[in-house]
Amino acid sequence: MSDVTSSVLFEHPLNEKTRTWLRIEFLLQQLHHNRSLSDIGNALTFFRAVADLLDVLDRGDVRTELLKELERQQQKLLQWADVPGVDRDRIHMLRQQLKERAAALMSAPRMGQMLRDDRLIAMVRQRLSIPGGCCSFDLPTLHIWLHQPKAVKEGVVADWLSTLTPLQQALDMSLDLIRHSGTFHPQTSLNGFFQDNAADADLLRLRITSDQQLYPQISGHKTRYAIRFLSLDAENGQIPARLTFDLACC
């Protein structure tokens, strides 16, 4: 499959909670993509993602913020239920899912605790800060562990990831509802610059055609944001005087 696509999607958080959630989502995606641990390359990517995830979880009360968001989304859906012509069965189903995600998240142990307590993860995490610190002579335990039968490794990894299921399900649903709260509209930047009000949004989503070889530099917080488009080729790239792109404020 070609890596070239017709458009590229960029997302930019407009508050700290969304910034943290996008980082956690990014790390969880890496964990699942590299869960096979088939070689030392993806094994180290997996363990580095574990270490980064634990660092992020240690910096704030992610559980509390997610529970607040699940409740907020329930209240928003409740308001939608009174709109004429709305699919009330769909609203009811989503609210029930939100309640289930909240209950599972609330009853779960401290997020990531099993990963913190695991001896192998602790050993690898300690060596990741050292350049090349996971070589076979530095960390022989990891290298012999990776030579276990595939089924054994898969079982251990499945147990590790299962402890993150309440977090992942709550996060996925929260971000999915946030993303679907905004609709893409065509916008035009002048000389590579665009700004507008965010109206207390959580997330900006921007689509631009890949053949432009441009990327957005976004700054914003809560109520206002600005976008400056830059060329991938910093020396020779051209910024169109008028550039059309799609933008959703969620």
Side-chain angles (χ1 to χ4, degrees):
M1 182 181 293
S2 173
D3 290 335
V4 178
T5 58
S6 59
S7 64
V8 183
L9 174 66
F10 295 90
E11 294 186 326
H12 185 83
L14 293 173
N15 49 53
E16 193 57 34
K17 69 172 185 181
T18 311
R19 186 184 307 276
T20 299
W21 294 349
L22 291 178
R23 286 174 174 160
I24 292 174
E25 179 189 51
F26 176 66
L27 292 169
L28 289 172
Q29 290 170 349
Q30 291 182 54
L31 290 180
H32 286 278
H33 184 73
N34 294 281
R35 64 182 297 166
S36 66
L37 306 188
S38 57
D39 56 55
I40 188 63
N42 70 4
L44 287 180
T45 300
F46 178 90
F47 284 111
R48 190 175 296 279
V50 171
D52 288 348
L53 177 61
L54 293 178
D55 286 345
V56 173
L57 293 177
D58 286 341
R59 289 180 193 146
D61 194 348
V62 175
R63 188 203 307 260
T64 299
E65 289 298 325
L66 273 175
L67 287 171
K68 289 179 182 177
E69 182 63 27
L70 293 172
E71 176 61 28
R72 182 174 78 103
Q73 293 295 341
Q74 286 190 57
Q75 295 304 316
K76 288 177 67 175
L77 288 171
L78 192 60
Q79 295 173 5
W80 272 101
D82 296 328
V83 176
V86 74
D87 187 343
R88 288 187 171 83
D89 289 338
R90 174 68 172 168
I91 295 292
H92 176 74
M93 183 190 71
L94 288 172
R95 292 193 69 228
Q96 187 60 37
Q97 289 180 353
L98 286 166
K99 290 178 182 179
E100 292 171 358
R101 299 290 188 270
L105 185 63
M106 191 176 299
S107 62
R110 183 188 178 197
M111 286 184 291
Q113 191 58 47
M114 179 182 175
L115 304 179
R116 292 183 188 88
D117 294 340
D118 188 89
R119 178 172 172 269
L120 178 64
I121 290 176
M123 291 174 62
V124 177
R125 190 182 180 192
Q126 187 177 30
R127 303 295 301 184
L128 285 171
S129 61
I130 303 172
C134 294
C135 286
S136 59
F137 61 84
D138 279 317
L139 203 52
T141 307
L142 172 62
H143 287 261
I144 189 60
W145 188 89
L146 291 174
H147 282 83
Q148 293 184 105
K150 180 181 178 182
V152 174
K153 291 187 294 182
E154 287 179 345
V156 173
V157 172
D159 287 343
W160 287 340
L161 295 180
S162 69
T163 66
L164 298 172
T165 298
L167 166 65
Q168 182 157 13
Q169 290 183 340
L171 181 67
D172 285 349
M173 190 164 189
S174 295
L175 287 176
D176 188 56
L177 289 171
I178 289 172
R179 285 170 172 137
H180 281 86
S181 69
T183 304
F184 281 102
H185 296 285
Q187 304 287 356
T188 302
S189 70
L190 301 178
N191 298 316
F193 184 75
F194 180 87
Q195 65 179 355
D196 202 355
N197 297 321
D200 293 321
D202 294 303
L203 180 69
L204 289 182
R205 309 184 79 210
L206 184 154
R207 285 193 309 226
I208 183 172
T209 56
S210 57
D211 58 3
Q212 299 275 2
Q213 292 293 284
L214 301 174
Y215 63 93
Q217 188 177 72
I218 304 172
S219 60
H221 187 66
K222 291 185 179 179
T223 60
R224 192 160 183 82
Y225 61 90
I227 304 171
R228 184 171 297 282
F229 290 94
L230 302 174
S231 175
L232 187 60
D233 185 346
E235 294 184 2
N236 303 308
Q238 298 291 321
I239 308 296
R242 297 178 65 87
L243 173 68
T244 300
F245 60 97
D246 293 326
L247 183 68
C249 194
C250 306

